[in-house]
Amino acid sequence: MRRVEHVMGFPVSLRIDDEGAWDAVADEAFAWLRAVDRRFSPFRADSEVCRLDRGEPAAGAVSADLAQVLGLCEEYRTATGGAFDARLPGRGLDPCAVVKGWSVQRAAELLTAAGARRFCLNAGGDVVVSGGPWRVGIRHPEDAGRVCAVLEVTDGAVATSGRYERGDHILDGRTGRPATGLLSLTVLAPTLTEADATATAAFALGEEGVAWAAARAGCEVFAVDAGRRVVRTAGVPMAGVS
């Protein structure tokens, strides 16, 4: 089965290659993503994130899901020395850099729990795959019509952070200025929670983020720096490369 819906501001596509009826499971996965958008969006005044940012409810009364997301935000803030920060000065609380990967990974886990073995869940270019091999393209950072690499992934997640979609939207929390040391940075990790947050945090770090992400357990990195040089770790599973 194949399905595409627009959720959280980007297209989410699901492909399940296993035999059987998967519509109900897909319904559940997409319902979860829509619920996350309602609860955690920093752009909805009635979301839990916005209510917390206004001081309601009290800090100790947040949901278990939001507490987990905020814990991950703090983990990455500490690990990057403040380059990654969900609470940038002059801005409201914005945990989106963690919420996207975390929520899509949870949707993938719903599919697995329901018995799906071979599937691809693609959320705006960030991908969770199972039962591959699957080929996952990395978009060229300066040409939307091209890819600069193709990965071959059996089970895992791939996420890319870059400047090509929304310009200099990723800020270095240490300076408050846009992170401009890289054009794009892609992380392959066991889960999209790790891949997406690590890619964003590493991009915020700039050039030093490549080595930082590569040093994290289970992560492989493919990056294009501001000088258009490609840097990749030895374990990146390039398609067609043995």
Side-chain angles (χ1 to χ4, degrees):
M1 72 151 292
R2 299 189 185 199
R3 184 184 297 185
V4 180
E5 294 191 15
H6 201 79
V7 188
M8 293 190 282
F10 46 79
V12 178
S13 66
L14 171 62
R15 170 178 163 179
I16 302 176
D17 284 356
D18 302 293
E19 293 184 1
W22 297 101
D23 286 343
V25 177
D27 289 344
E28 184 180 1
F30 280 103
W32 158 255
L33 293 174
R34 289 192 295 270
V36 167
D37 189 30
R38 290 192 299 271
R39 294 169 59 198
F40 294 161
S41 172
F43 309 109
R44 294 173 180 258
D46 61 344
S47 73
E48 186 178 4
V49 164
C50 287
R51 287 188 288 110
L52 177 63
D53 201 34
R54 295 194 298 266
E56 45 167 294
V62 300
S63 68
D65 284 342
L66 182 54
Q68 183 182 16
V69 166
L70 295 177
L72 288 167
C73 289
E74 179 59 19
E75 175 187 327
Y76 282 92
R77 187 195 68 79
T78 300
T80 59
F84 176 98
D85 199 334
R87 294 182 180 273
L88 292 165
R91 296 190 176 192
L93 173 63
D94 184 357
C96 286
V98 165
V99 167
K100 180 184 179 184
W102 169 84
S103 62
V104 175
Q105 180 61 40
R106 287 274 292 269
E109 290 166 4
L110 287 172
L111 301 174
T112 300
R117 294 293 174 263
R118 178 172 167 80
F119 63 82
C120 176
L121 183 57
N122 184 328
D126 295 335
V127 181
V128 184
V129 298
S130 174
W134 293 90
R135 291 199 164 204
V136 180
I138 299 176
R139 175 179 154 168
H140 192 288
E142 296 180 306
D143 185 344
R146 296 169 55 201
V147 296
C148 59
V150 179
L151 309 186
E152 190 170 275
V153 186
T154 298
D155 297 289
V158 179
T160 299
S161 286
R163 298 159 61 187
Y164 47 77
E165 285 287 358
R166 296 164 55 195
D168 294 328
H169 68 287
I170 299 176
L171 303 184
D172 181 340
R174 299 168 299 185
T175 64
R177 296 192 295 271
T180 57
L182 300 169
L183 293 182
S184 71
L185 185 142
T186 299
V187 173
L188 171 68
T191 72
L192 195 56
T193 305
E194 300 166 273
D196 196 22
T198 299
T200 304
F203 195 92
L205 279 164
E207 288 188 47
E208 65 183 286
V210 178
W212 175 84
R216 293 183 68 82
C219 291
E220 300 291 345
V221 182
F222 182 102
V224 182
D225 69 17
R228 297 173 177 77
R229 294 180 296 268
V230 172
V231 182
R232 65 182 174 95
T233 54
V236 172
M238 305 292 289
V241 178
S242 58

